[in-house]
Amino acid sequence: MSDTHTPALPTNQVTTAEDSVAATSAWMPPAFKVSGAFSSHMVLQREQPIRVWGFSDTPGSRITGHFMGETVSATVGDDNRFTLTFTARNAQYEPQTMTVSDDRDHAVTFDDILVGDVYLIGGQSNAELHLEPCLTLTPSVEFDENDSFRLFAQSQAYAQSRPDLTTTPSPDVIHPDWCWKRPDREASLEFSAMGWYFARELKKQIDVPLGLVMVAAGGACLRELLPVELAHGEGYFSGCNVCEGGYYNTLIHPFVGLSFRAMLFFQGESEGGDRVLAPKYAYDLALLVADERARFGRQFPFYNVQLSDYRDEGALFFPYHDIVRIQQYNALSLIPDSTLTVDMDLGAPDDYPDWAHSPRKLELGERLALLVLAKEYGIGHMTECASPRPLTATLNADGTAVTIEFTDVAAGLIVAGHTPADSYGMDVQGFSFGDYDHRTPAHAVVSSRHSVTVDLPDGVDLSAFPAEQRLVNYAFSLRITPENADLRGGNNLPAPAFSLPIFGV
């Protein structure tokens, strides 16, 4: 078994770059090495130039690469790096071989290489959460090392144990044993459950090899996933588990330059523990995505996940998860080409011992796969695989109610457990008026196939509210249960938590 393990809660220990600087060791370039981002069994991104980089202690030396009948070369720069660029390829199931060598008799050969679509799995512990504990709900899962998806696992635990590596961007993958693996039982059990189930569902519909790379870190705050200079620019000079920028430096930066299709992301629990950080979440997340798109050189699609319910225990650790969920919805307008997969109803069962890390990742993987199939591959339609999304909230002419119009409602909005026809005129739970600090519950009904009407409580005059409180909300609560939030689309996917400004006040 490797060093990976089921990730834990954030430690809430304040860690700064200054704490680790004394242990920082200067990176020494090897005589010759291809980056650890590449190995046998890897999947290379199709239909994009294939960049393979590495290191040498001899600037000016010549590097030569051979792949699929093509020979390319590069010169080692003064920064001790080289990059080989091969021609873009179509999907390739037939295992291929790559050889990289220098002019000093160093050489490495990678075999069993496929060409297909690569996905990054980012975020914190519910993204890193391994498949093994989730098998309690899916015990009949079968593993086939010959399946055409491949896995590259990294772990928060090892990165956190190496403070000497967290203060500056690591040039290479930090653990010498981390590499691409076939999806046999051992490699699968130590991989992201969200990512593994996603790949399995995707493979049922597409005929393309898949590669998945874990860049998630259990307990990670956004300020630890951001590069140091961006974290400092936002006033963050400490981290929660590692120093600010520490997980970017150790788990993300070594892959900058890698071509991939899209990122799946599940994060935000840590910011839910801080009243100052929670309201900034949408801005900070948008900053992270924009920065990574710039560094990777591609406007990759971003598939975000809205936080689960965390039972009553969650309020003890994360009393502002309700704010983070709203901010995750708000981030849709700040991050182009992004989606939000609702996970509020997939929290840990009441009798499950780990309230923070729900084993219900199969359903989450299925929801993500349906979205990706529709957006990336044209299989299915967004209306059938997306949660209903609110468009506008407007005060009615008589000033007694607010009507919210939705899109992506499939056959029509429903109250959970009912059909669209039955749901018309039914009460729906979970609506309120107000802002983060002042919320008033409100009665609401499904008023059409694509709208909900929310009644203003007796005596409430929206025009008397401060402008920042003229909001209508759904599922703006720490606890999300079938009893207090039951709006769904006709595809039975839950509506997201949201807060909308009200027009016409």
Side-chain angles (χ1 to χ4, degrees):
M1 301 288 282
S2 74
D3 72 290
T4 54
H5 72 297
T6 300
L9 292 169
T11 64
N12 292 317
Q13 175 181 348
V14 175
T15 305
T16 67
E18 287 75 10
D19 294 333
S20 301
V21 72
T24 301
S25 56
W27 179 75
M28 298 296 293
F32 170 82
K33 185 180 185 299
V34 176
S35 167
F38 307 97
S39 73
S40 294
H41 314 303
M42 64 183 162
V43 176
L44 298 171
Q45 178 60 45
R46 63 176 172 144
E47 300 170 356
Q48 294 184 31
I50 297 170
R51 295 185 297 270
V52 178
W53 63 90
F55 317 97
S56 168
D57 63 1
T58 308
S61 61
R62 197 70 172 162
I63 307 296
T64 302
H66 304 277
F67 180 62
M68 294 186 68
E70 182 180 15
T71 299
V72 299
S73 61
T75 300
V76 178
D78 292 338
D79 59 355
N80 300 107
R81 292 177 62 98
F82 63 83
T83 300
L84 299 168
T85 304
F86 295 96
T87 302
R89 303 286 178 174
N90 294 327
Q92 178 61 249
Y93 272 104
E94 185 69 26
Q96 302 295 315
T97 297
M98 177 185 293
T99 299
V100 180
S101 60
D102 68 4
D103 53 11
R104 298 182 298 148
D105 297 325
H106 297 112
V108 62
T109 297
F110 303 133
D111 56 21
D112 190 34
I113 300 170
L114 306 180
V115 180
D117 286 340
V118 178
Y119 290 85
L120 299 191
I121 312 299
Q124 61 178 109
S125 56
N126 273 291
E128 188 187 3
L129 180 70
H130 299 157
L131 181 63
E132 185 167 20
C134 300
L135 293 185
T136 57
L137 299 184
T138 56
S140 61
V141 164
E142 296 181 356
F143 303 98
D144 182 1
E145 69 168 9
N146 295 314
D147 207 336
S148 58
F149 66 88
R150 307 291 173 78
L151 311 172
F152 194 113
Q154 302 184 97
S155 81
Q156 163 267 348
Y158 183 73
Q160 188 177 4
S161 74
R162 290 295 306 273
D164 57 312
L165 300 178
T166 61
T167 57
T168 57
S170 178
D172 200 4
V173 173
I174 63 172
H175 196 297
D177 295 335
W178 289 350
C179 62
W180 288 93
K181 296 180 180 180
R182 286 173 168 265
D184 60 16
R185 181 180 180 86
E186 181 176 2
S188 295
L189 293 181
E190 295 178 345
F191 197 76
S192 159
M194 179 180 82
W196 194 93
Y197 286 125
F198 162 80
R200 190 184 72 162
E201 294 305 308
L202 214 60
K203 287 300 301 175
K204 294 177 180 178
Q205 300 289 330
I206 64 169
D207 190 28
V208 177
L210 298 176
L212 294 95
V213 181
M214 281 175 58
V215 293
C221 306
L222 285 180
R223 64 189 185 273
E224 297 167 336
L225 296 170
L226 284 167
V228 171
E229 60 271 24
L230 285 184
H232 287 176
E234 296 306 311
Y236 301 133
F237 293 94
S238 65
C240 185
N241 306 275
V242 294
C243 63
E244 70 281 14
Y247 287 135
Y248 169 81
N249 289 338
T250 51
L251 301 180
I252 300 172
H253 186 267
F255 286 89
V256 170
L258 186 74
S259 295
F260 62 97
R261 182 85 187 228
M263 176 181 282
L264 314 183
F265 194 82
F266 190 153
Q267 193 272 340
E269 293 96 334
S270 291
E271 279 75 15
D274 191 305
R275 182 60 176 83
V276 174
L277 295 178
K280 292 186 60 184
Y281 188 84
Y283 174 84
D284 286 349
L285 181 63
L287 186 68
L288 181 147
V289 175
D291 177 74
E292 291 191 0
R293 285 172 169 172
R295 290 175 187 271
F296 282 93
R298 181 168 184 265
Q299 296 298 302
F300 57 83
F302 184 71
Y303 293 88
N304 198 16
V305 177
Q306 194 171 51
L307 292 181
S308 303
D309 174 70
Y310 295 94
R311 302 195 320 220
D312 291 333
E313 298 96 315
L316 301 176
F317 290 86
F318 308 118
Y320 308 109
H321 269 170
D322 50 352
I323 297 177
V324 174
R325 289 193 195 97
I326 299 300
Q327 287 288 306
Q328 288 176 320
Y329 179 80
N330 293 344
L332 284 171
S333 63
L334 301 180
I335 305 173
D337 197 7
S338 66
T339 66
L340 187 63
T341 296
V342 180
D343 195 59
M344 295 186 298
D345 60 327
L346 300 180
D350 289 341
D351 58 352
Y352 190 71
D354 187 349
W355 58 268
H357 304 105
S358 172
R360 299 179 64 186
K361 294 299 187 285
L362 170 59
E363 297 100 318
L364 175 57
E366 290 173 336
R367 292 178 185 181
L368 286 164
L370 285 172
L371 272 178
V372 169
L373 285 168
K375 284 187 84 276
E376 306 298 319
Y377 302 96
I379 300 174
H381 192 278
M382 285 295 292
T383 300
E384 299 302 323
C385 60
S387 288
R389 180 173 176 178
L391 294 174
T392 58
T394 305
L395 184 66
N396 293 0
D398 62 6
T400 63
V402 170
T403 297
I404 306 171
E405 298 287 337
F406 289 80
T407 188
D408 294 333
V409 298
L413 294 172
I414 66 171
V415 177
H418 298 271
T419 67
D422 293 339
S423 297
Y424 178 74
M426 285 189 65
D427 290 354
V428 60
Q429 307 302 315
F431 287 87
S432 64
F433 292 100
D435 63 5
Y436 295 154
D437 299 311
H438 308 86
R439 276 168 261 167
T440 302
H443 171 260
V445 298
V446 176
S447 51
S448 78
R449 176 179 175 273
H450 51 76
S451 66
V452 169
T453 297
V454 189
D455 296 327
L456 286 170
D458 291 341
V460 171
D461 178 6
L462 285 178
S463 64
F465 282 29
E468 65 273 11
Q469 293 180 25
R470 296 173 187 172
L471 303 167
V472 61
N473 317 300
Y474 174 70
F476 200 166
S477 174
L478 276 176
R479 285 304 319 269
I480 306 294
T481 69
E483 290 73 36
N484 70 9
D486 55 2
L487 182 64
R488 291 179 172 246
N491 53 16
N492 205 35
L493 290 176
F498 63 82
S499 184
L500 290 182
I502 300 168
F503 295 103
V505 180

